[in-house]
Amino acid sequence: YSCFKLSDGRQETVTCSIGKVEEQLSQDYFFRTNRTYIINLTFLKKINSKKRECILHSNGHDFKCDISYEKIKILLDRLNSN
């Protein structure tokens, strides 16, 4: 199962693995931060490298999610290349 937090506050659950979900999403807008999270880059507000977390912002609220040490560099490189 995979669980989604939507920007309107709803939560949806689907019966497929996060890996299968990742394959179906556009890499232009989505990034897998670790084994648990895939984030929508549209809502990315900040990357805190020290705490190894991403902060997403939507509808006036912040949401924190973990990002693995290895993925921080990959994400920063990707964002800086755009």
Side-chain angles (χ1 to χ4, degrees):
Y1 290 91
S2 297
C3 187
F4 295 91
K5 280 193 164 216
L6 305 176
S7 61
D8 63 5
R10 291 182 301 129
Q11 190 166 312
E12 298 286 335
T13 303
V14 296
T15 57
C16 64
S17 71
I18 192 169
K20 292 288 183 190
V21 172
E22 182 181 21
E23 290 172 5
Q24 296 175 26
L25 296 172
S26 168
Q27 290 185 2
D28 292 337
Y29 299 102
F30 294 91
F31 183 81
R32 187 162 180 180
T33 62
N34 60 24
R35 294 179 57 181
T36 306
Y37 293 107
I38 298 173
I39 62 169
N40 183 331
L41 296 173
T42 305
F43 298 107
L44 181 62
K45 177 179 173 182
K46 180 180 177 182
I47 301 167
N48 186 330
S49 298
K50 269 189 175 172
K51 292 185 178 180
R52 289 189 306 182
E53 67 184 12
C54 291
I55 300 166
L56 307 170
H57 186 82
S58 177
N59 294 326
H61 299 285
D62 286 347
F63 173 78
K64 295 178 182 179
C65 71
D66 298 331
I67 182 168
S68 70
Y69 181 77
E70 298 80 22
K71 296 283 187 151
I72 291 171
K73 181 172 179 359
I74 295 168
L75 180 55
L76 289 173
D77 288 346
R78 185 166 145 190
L79 293 172
N80 290 330
S81 69
N82 290 338

